[in-house]
Amino acid sequence: MARLEGKVAVITGATGGIGRAAAALFAEEGARVALVDLDEGALRELAVSLGEDKASYTVADVTQPDQSQAYIDAAVNRWGGIDVLLANAGIEGTLATIPDYPIDVFDRVIAVNVRGVWLGIKYAVPAMRERGGGSIVITSSTAGISGAAEMSAYNTSKHAVIGMMRVAALECAPHGIRVNTVNPAPIETRMMRSIEEQRTAAMDDANVNVETMKQSYAQRIPLQRYGNPEEVARMMLFLGSDDSSFCTGGVYMVDGGRSAGGR
Ligand code: NAD
């Protein structure tokens, strides 16, 4: 049987690289998916490609309480309830040391990556309690368990959601709601292209280009490559489904061995 048969999954950041892969896999595994992101055209296109009998969408900025409540309400109204929240929307911010880091960018990264996840949980939990349980999956990162110079806002945000996940797991366990993070290493999406480009520009070295920058990131991963979005989506599927029925409060690496250490 399909692993998400009969379940409804809300996915934020749904039209990005990882969100899109998760939406496709969840729909393939029988879920009804409620897609959330900023761009209506991209959302509509994705919903149509998945099939409108399987996918709905809501334009929402996850930093806004009213819009967060609205995307939960829309999913409940369309599909009758919520079983899975994939709190995945995120931004990378910019690259700068803390003294030089722009305060407005810091605030925006924390707003999207921390407050946005918190608001998602805040409004999803009552709906999941109505349903008798559920699973919340938060996209953290290897940046959530280690530092990276010049990425203070991003790394802070990805550490913060691990703490948030642990609190939510404790609060939600009595209600049959499990809460976990998925922590990817560099994955082939727009976000890594942006980080490679910013890092290359900051180096200002004729021997370094975006391609060599990517290689140097990949070489720090024991499997010697970036992951692809589908590889992350498969962990999200496991955590969203009843296959992970005894898993809550956990940090799940999808990192090609990056967190094991090494060069
Ligand atoms: P992406 O940029 O392709 O997707 C992110 C999506 O989030 C975009 O579609 C964007 O529009 C959406 N988003 C941003 N701000 C939003 C807001 N305020 N409200 C609603 N939606 C918003 O990047 P991705 O790689 O697919 O990232 C998905 C998640 O994975 C992020 O949380 C990211 O931090 C995390 N992550 C990515 C990598 C990687 O290497 N790509 C590694 C570890 C963790």
Side-chain angles (χ1 to χ4, degrees), residues 12-20 36-39 60-63 87-92 108 112-113 139-143 154 158 182-192 195 226 236:
T12 72
T15 64
I18 293 172
R20 189 175 284 271
V36 179
D37 212 305
L38 294 169
D39 184 87
D61 177 343
V62 297
T63 68
N88 171 74
I91 55 174
E92 66 277 16
R108 185 65 189 164
V112 177
N113 297 8
T139 311
S140 176
S141 170
T142 46
Y154 187 74
K158 294 299 179 180
V182 170
N183 295 55
I187 303 298
E188 299 281 6
T189 73
R190 180 213 65 81
M191 188 174 283
M192 277 314 298
I195 293 170
Y226 284 14
M236 293 166 163

Side-chain angles (χ1 to χ4, degrees), residues 34-256:
L35 314 169
V36 179
D37 212 305
L38 294 169
D39 184 87
E40 176 155 24
L43 281 166
R44 190 183 318 110
E45 200 178 304
L46 180 60
V48 167
S49 77
L50 295 174
E52 281 166 296
D53 53 336
K54 287 190 166 181
S56 60
Y57 68 85
T58 306
V59 178
D61 177 343
V62 297
T63 68
Q64 299 305 308
D66 52 343
Q67 296 181 40
S68 296
Q69 180 73 72
Y71 75 67
I72 296 291
D73 289 348
V76 171
N77 290 338
R78 175 68 177 89
W79 304 113
I82 295 173
D83 304 287
V84 179
L85 169 66
L86 176 53
N88 171 74
I91 55 174
E92 66 277 16
T94 192
L95 290 174
T97 59
I98 294 172
D100 293 329
Y101 205 97
I103 293 170
D104 60 331
V105 178
F106 180 86
D107 286 346
R108 185 65 189 164
V109 171
I110 300 298
V112 177
N113 297 8
V114 181
R115 177 178 153 116
V117 173
W118 187 82
L119 288 171
I121 297 171
K122 182 176 181 59
Y123 298 120
V125 165
M128 286 183 175
R129 286 183 65 171
E130 292 263 311
R131 198 86 152 165
S135 172
I136 297 172
V137 182
I138 301 166
T139 311
S140 176
S141 170
T142 46
I145 62 158
S146 62
E150 303 187 341
M151 293 206 63
S152 55
Y154 187 74
N155 281 55
T156 299
S157 74
K158 294 299 179 180
H159 277 71
V161 291
I162 293 178
M164 189 191 303
M165 172 276 290
R166 290 187 172 127
V167 173
L170 297 175
E171 290 181 3
C172 291
H175 309 296
I177 303 168
R178 300 180 294 100
V179 192
N180 295 284
T181 65
V182 170
N183 295 55
I187 303 298
E188 299 281 6
T189 73
R190 180 213 65 81
M191 188 174 283
M192 277 314 298
R193 295 296 89 76
S194 160
I195 293 170
E196 289 153 7
E197 280 162 17
Q198 292 191 60
R199 188 77 80 195
T200 303
M203 299 267 300
D204 195 22
D205 176 340
N207 295 317
V208 179
N209 58 41
V210 174
E211 196 43 48
T212 57
M213 183 58 66
K214 180 177 177 182
Q215 282 165 12
S216 82
Y217 274 114
Q219 278 162 8
R220 278 176 261 157
I221 298 172
L223 291 183
Q224 298 283 294
R225 65 173 177 85
Y226 284 14
N228 60 58
E230 292 71 25
E231 291 173 304
V232 182
R234 287 201 292 270
M235 178 63 88
M236 293 166 163
L237 170 64
F238 169 72
L239 291 170
S241 76
D242 294 339
D243 286 350
S244 59
S245 52
F246 201 52
C247 301
T248 195
V251 174
Y252 289 83
M253 308 309 299
V254 184
D255 72 347

